Structures are given as C-alpha cells and as structure tokens.
Amino acid sequence: MKNAGQLSRRQILAAAGFIGLAGLTGCGSGDDGGDSKDLSKKQNGAMKEYRSGQQFKAAPPLSFSVLHNNNPVYPMKNSWLFWKELTKRTGVTLKPIAVPLSDYEKKRSVLIGAGDAPLLIPKTYHPSEVAFVSSGAILPVSDYVHLMPNFQAKVRKWKLEPELDSIRQSDGKYYLLPGLHEKVKSGYSLALRTDVLDKHGLSLPTSWDEVYDVLKALRAEYPDRYPFSDRWSTNTPYPVGALMSYLGQAYGVRAGWTYDNVSYDSTAGKFVFTGATDGYRQLVEYLRKLVAEKLMDPESFTQTDDDAVQKLLGEKSFAISANPQELVQNYRYNLEKQVKGSKIEMVPVPLGPAGPVVLGGARLENGVMVSSKALKSDTFVALMQFVDWLWYSDEGQRFSKWGVQGVTYTYTGGKYELADGISLMGSDPDAPKDLQKDYGFFNGVFTYGGSWDLVSSSFGPDEKTFQDAMAQREQLPIDPAHPLQSVEQEQASLWDTPLRDHVTQNTLKFVLGKRPLSEWDDYVAELKAKNMGRLVDLHNKARERFKKENG
C-alpha cells in the first residue's frame, strides 16, 4: 500500500527504536503543527533515551489524570495494587476520574465539551473520537507517535499501517491511539448442548447450512420447543446484535454490533450501502427461514439476556450465542448444577458463502485519546513515553494483565499461573481474592492488545480451541481511508441515523415476517429516498480525495 510506505518514511525517527531528547528540539517539521514543533521545553520527567523494550521511569515523579471506565464487575478501589505498583515502576501516579460504565460515553462528551477532561481518555472506540476533532479538544496523536517506540515497533512488526490508515481523518492524521493486536481475536459464536446432540446422533455444525440442519432435527425431536433462543438484543439498538455480527461474517458483511451504513466493496472498488447489499439480504433471508420454520425463538429479538439464559438452563432451548467467558462462567457452570450430564460447547463461527474469513480491521481495539491540554504541559514528552510503556510495551501489557510476578502470578515454562488464593473470572470460585476486584489487574481500561502469546495466555481450554481455529481464517480487506471533512461529517450525521434506524427496523420486520421479503426492492427504494445514494457518494468522494492527497 503506497500510503503505508509513506507512513514508515514519516516515522523514520523511530526506526532505531529509540528517541534521544536532544533530537527533539526541532523534530516534527513535517507532521507537527503549532507549538508542537519545539518539544524542547516539554521534557520535564522524560527519559533522555527511551527505547522500545526499556522500562520507563519518570524523574522527578509525575502525576497524570485519567478517565476511568468503572466496571460494576470490579468497581474501582484506591487500594488496588495496580496503582501502587505502577507508581513504583514508572514514577507516575495516575489520578483516576471514575465514571460508571453505563454513563461513560455521555460523561466523557460532557467533560470534553466543558474543557474538564483529564489528560488521558481511554476506552474510546473508533469512530467516537471523530466528534471531538473539529473543536481541537483532542490531539492528533499521529503527530507524536515518534515519541512512542513500543507503539511504532508493534505497528511495523505486525504490519498494522493499513489499519491505522483506516482511522485517519481528512487532514491525514489519526486522533486515537488504538489497542494493537498481533492477530485477530474473535469474541462471539454459537454454543450448543452437545449432550443433546450426541443423544440424537447429531454433530456440531461447521457451516450455517449445518446449523439449519441441526436445529431442524432438534425441532423434530422436541416439537414443543424452539431449539435456538438468543440474547444480546435489549442493550443495543440492534436485535440479536452478537448473532448478526458473527453471522454477517459468513456473508462478508458488517451486521448487528459491527454494522456500519457504508462499507467497501473490494470487488467493485467502491463504497456501498451495507443494508442494501446482496450479502445483507441473504443474512436477513437466513434468519427469516429460522424464525418461519420455528427453529429460532421470535422472542430472541426482544427478550432480556436473563430470559434467554433461563430458557437454556430450563431446557426450553438448546442453542444460544456465547462468548468464552459466558460459556464457562454462566452456561456451563449453571447447567451442570441444574441438568445432570449436561455439556455445552461453543463452535468456531460457522462458515457461509464468504468462506473461512473474519472481518477486516479487527486487529485494532478501543484506545486512548489524549487531551490537547497535555501539549501545553512541560511534561508532555514524559506523558507520551508513559502511555507508550503502559499500553504498548510487552512489559507494560504483561503488568496490566497479570500484575506482579511472585505476588499475583507465576511464570514458568512459558505459562502464566495465578498465585494461590487468587481467581480470575471464576477460574477458582473458592479463592478468597480476585485479580480484578481486589488487585485492579486485567482491567479493561488498561488491558488490551498485545502479542498472541500474551493475549492467549489467559485463555481457558475452550477459548484456546476456539481462538486457534478462528486465527487460521483470512482477514477480509480493510476499508480504505475515506475521512470526511467537517462540513461533510455534519451532513453525513444528518443522513446516517435515519438510514441506520430504517435498516434496523426493517431487518426486524423482515426476519419476524411482519414484512414480506418480496418487498426488499421497496425497502431499498425507501433507503434511496432517505439519501442513501448521497451518503455513499460522499464517502466515495472522500476516498478519492484522500487517495489523491496522500498517495
């Protein structure tokens, strides 16, 4: 990719894996703008030669504010070993501003809008950062990654330049430091009661055609029940958001939680409207078939997660969407207590017309925004070095995930083991301590991304089998960069929501049989009337402009 080559040239300062502060005085004459051209007065606490793989240590000690997404599963405690040990290792004291997980995005917007945002704003999912670009409230962090040798080393080693290009804005810069993954990590798939399948001589399905056959056979055996009753519908605008996301992969489209109005058709070489594509229509037809033939519970699209799980535990259904944590801690644990001899397994995402693929761009995770206030501080360089160590160095990632060797975990023969008396996500229900709740490690604010060795180090046997299978699949092409200018962004926002709502509402109507699939062309015409064509044209125009200006 031509742009990827340009990227590495622009970032050549980091090619040796370190930055000497003496060289910072006039750095950034290309990318850096405004008062960022001279970082010589922003070096307080920074290390003179900070290299990839080196322990960052601020001198003198510093403190930085951080927005903390407070997860109710492990509410924040000031007594966590995480805070104390982080200060000991880095000389940095983090000052967290705790915000409830349920209110995080809203509170984040309010704080940024009022100019009260902390310096570091993690747990931000692209494209959420776009809303804060035009005001200048957040930094174009791509201008400063030359201060982050660990970040750059991973981008180069794992060839992540195309992914980074996909989050650039119309000025060619990106405003979010995303979590970086060596390999795609898949989250969700279908779980089935294997003891019930075994009883009736059925095998675990490997394709969606086989899923249909298995559900049909189960319906024949249990005509009074829906074999498949699903969840993850009420906490999202998308009905069965998880199911549609992983089912969408089979048709090569983004659906459910991953749905985006505009997606790139690599065969046609242009952006198209996702909800009007053949792939999306085939996905809808498949779900309609399951519901029409009573293989899938129609309440799946409206019921609470608890209701769906209770149907599984009460043997009113035999299949449900899962992630590895829910599979082990919820379904299996509770089934074993209630149903003697029960077994449940999560299958690798079943295959469809698109073949053994995963969606492109999935190696980037949520990430960190940096407040533009940070650049005004004389500790700016140290802040970027600290962010680089904590979120992007191997040692920082290991620390965030597992804690302190000899205290919270041991490491022998390439394997991580929790220390005696410590549990992680139910791994030892009788343990008196919990790695997340009592120590503050494995916290989603700080723990994401990394090498496959580290990411997979916490996998149980089920997840290891699942992830190893999914890691063999081919990643679909990443959408090319097509950032909108601020005026275009405002216009696109006006069109985007009504179109998205229309797709969601009609997907539900088609699937539940409240609207016949013979009216698909009418539905597409309705999308056109809601400016579908103009939205797609806007994105194609933006892509051509970005390509022309950036190569």
Side-chain angles (χ1 to χ4, degrees), residues 108-129:
R108 181 183 63 199
S109 296
V110 170
L111 287 169
I112 293 173
D116 296 330
L119 296 181
L120 300 175
I121 311 164
K123 210 67 184 168
T124 298
Y125 290 82
H126 174 76
S128 301
E129 81 279 12

Side-chain angles (χ1 to χ4, degrees), residues 81-310:
L81 178 61
F82 173 85
W83 307 119
K84 184 180 174 184
E85 185 69 23
L86 182 66
T87 302
K88 180 180 166 186
R89 294 189 187 198
T90 65
V92 170
T93 300
L94 280 181
K95 294 185 173 176
I97 297 172
V99 175
L101 183 147
S102 59
D103 204 29
Y104 190 72
E105 298 211 0
K106 185 179 176 185
K107 181 75 170 174
R108 181 183 63 199
S109 296
V110 170
L111 287 169
I112 293 173
D116 296 330
L119 296 181
L120 300 175
I121 311 164
K123 210 67 184 168
T124 298
Y125 290 82
H126 174 76
S128 301
E129 81 279 12
V130 177
F132 311 114
V133 169
S134 59
S135 67
I138 58 170
L139 282 184
V141 283
S142 55
D143 283 355
Y144 307 103
V145 290
H146 61 272
L147 303 173
M148 303 177 65
N150 289 292
F151 177 88
Q152 292 210 303
K154 283 179 167 56
V155 168
R156 278 196 308 275
K157 185 178 178 183
W158 299 337
K159 298 180 172 58
L160 284 162
E161 290 93 346
E163 276 93 338
L164 288 177
D165 282 349
S166 73
I167 65 169
R168 290 179 185 273
Q169 301 308 305
S170 55
D171 56 7
K173 302 175 183 186
Y174 52 88
Y175 291 73
L176 180 71
L177 290 167
L180 307 176
H181 279 268
E182 181 182 8
K183 294 183 181 179
V184 173
K185 178 174 174 276
S186 300
Y188 295 81
S189 189
L190 189 67
L192 298 102
R193 281 277 304 276
T194 48
D195 59 311
V196 176
L197 298 190
D198 291 344
K199 182 180 174 183
H200 300 292
L202 301 169
S203 301
L204 280 171
T206 60
S207 70
W208 286 105
D209 286 344
E210 289 177 8
V211 170
Y212 169 79
D213 292 340
V214 166
L215 296 178
K216 195 155 176 101
L218 288 173
R219 177 75 190 187
E221 295 288 349
Y222 305 93
D224 59 331
R225 298 170 230 190
Y226 293 106
F228 179 26
S229 189
D230 212 19
R231 59 179 295 186
W232 285 311
S233 290
T234 54
N235 55 349
T236 166
Y238 303 107
V240 293
L243 169 64
M244 287 194 71
S245 293
Y246 64 81
L247 174 60
Q249 287 187 75
Y251 296 95
V253 295
R254 295 187 185 279
W257 286 344
T258 57
Y259 179 81
D260 201 343
N261 274 332
V262 177
S263 50
Y264 192 69
D265 183 334
S266 54
T267 306
K270 63 181 181 180
F271 283 95
V272 295
F273 191 82
T274 311
T277 59
D278 284 346
Y280 195 86
R281 179 178 51 78
Q282 289 167 15
L283 176 154
V284 169
E285 286 172 345
Y286 181 84
L287 287 174
R288 174 65 198 134
K289 183 166 72 166
L290 295 189
V291 173
E293 298 187 25
K294 296 184 166 53
L295 309 182
M296 183 177 184
D297 183 357
E299 290 183 2
S300 298
F301 299 85
T302 51
Q303 69 190 352
T304 66
D305 290 358
D306 283 347
D307 286 344
V309 174
Q310 286 310 313

